[in-house]
Amino acid sequence: MVILSVSVLAIALSAITLSFVSVSSYPLHASCRVDWTFGKPCDEVQTALVNQMQKWNMDTQDLCGTGQKCLYQYLTSSPTKITGTHTTPVKRYVDDVSFTFAPGPDNSCKVQGFSTSQTWYAILDYGTNYCNIKNLVEGAKLGINDSKYNENTSDSVCTQYSSANCEVY
């Protein structure tokens, strides 16, 4: 009986350790940071992202479909930053989103996108925070026919980035 209890305890501890190891490769809170380069001036990139947030502000089944390309709210802007929120259509979780802009060489624009869950206990997010900002970039058609376009992120700074499915989230 004691051996069986010790074995069950060892299995449980192994499962907890494996779970911690897999979660610890992500940020401690559900969030995502992505660095982009675009081959156009920052004011054009900023305008495109603000317009896309405003376009996807509605809560309609036609707009959301089976994904989450809706329920964005544009909040503020300055010459170097825009902020907003994204609300998930089903569970109504709210995530803060922001984009910070810096001019690059040859009339390019360096952009850092960031999304983080307002839910204090959120750890894993199925890549939702990545999709919150990636969907806006794609919706605004910012990477199309842009030879300077580049995206840089990883699981270490973007929760569940490598398994994100932005057609769903």
Side-chain angles (χ1 to χ4, degrees), residues 8-22:
V8 169
L9 180 61
I11 291 169
L13 286 175
S14 295
I16 290 169
T17 301
L18 284 174
S19 295
F20 179 73
V21 168
S22 65

Side-chain angles (χ1 to χ4, degrees), residues 77-134:
S77 64
S78 73
T80 59
K81 187 174 186 173
I82 61 174
T83 64
T85 61
H86 178 251
T87 303
T88 61
V90 177
K91 298 282 187 177
R92 302 292 172 161
Y93 294 120
V94 179
D95 302 319
D96 294 316
V97 297
S98 65
F99 294 90
T100 304
F101 306 90
D106 301 323
N107 216 22
S108 65
C109 184
K110 305 279 187 185
V111 178
Q112 184 173 91
F114 186 71
S115 179
T116 186
S117 175
Q118 286 185 1
T119 306
W120 67 269
Y121 55 83
I123 299 172
L124 300 178
D125 68 355
Y126 301 100
T128 297
N129 279 290
Y130 171 71
C131 295
N132 286 344
I133 50 180
K134 176 67 172 186

Side-chain angles (χ1 to χ4, degrees), residues 12-157:
L13 286 175
S14 295
I16 290 169
T17 301
L18 284 174
S19 295
F20 179 73
V21 168
S22 65
V23 170
S24 66
S25 64
Y26 301 123
L28 295 176
H29 180 72
S31 61
C32 182
R33 188 184 79 227
V34 181
D35 294 314
W36 282 285
T37 301
F38 299 103
K40 44 184 70 83
C42 287
D43 60 336
E44 289 181 29
V45 176
Q46 184 172 6
T47 298
L49 289 168
V50 168
N51 289 344
Q52 196 61 47
M53 274 188 187
Q54 291 172 333
K55 180 179 179 182
W56 284 349
N57 189 28
M58 294 186 259
D59 181 10
T60 67
Q61 187 62 33
D62 292 339
L63 186 59
C64 288
T66 58
Q68 298 198 22
K69 296 174 183 171
C70 59
L71 295 172
Y72 283 88
Q73 183 177 13
Y74 164 69
L75 296 176
T76 65
S77 64
S78 73
T80 59
K81 187 174 186 173
I82 61 174
T83 64
T85 61
H86 178 251
T87 303
T88 61
V90 177
K91 298 282 187 177
R92 302 292 172 161
Y93 294 120
V94 179
D95 302 319
D96 294 316
V97 297
S98 65
F99 294 90
T100 304
F101 306 90
D106 301 323
N107 216 22
S108 65
C109 184
K110 305 279 187 185
V111 178
Q112 184 173 91
F114 186 71
S115 179
T116 186
S117 175
Q118 286 185 1
T119 306
W120 67 269
Y121 55 83
I123 299 172
L124 300 178
D125 68 355
Y126 301 100
T128 297
N129 279 290
Y130 171 71
C131 295
N132 286 344
I133 50 180
K134 176 67 172 186
N135 285 339
L136 286 170
V137 167
E138 286 188 350
K141 298 178 179 20
L142 285 169
I144 295 175
N145 299 323
D146 184 345
S147 62
K148 294 181 183 175
Y149 174 81
N150 184 48
E151 177 182 293
N152 185 28
T153 194
S154 66
D155 283 331
S156 65
V157 294

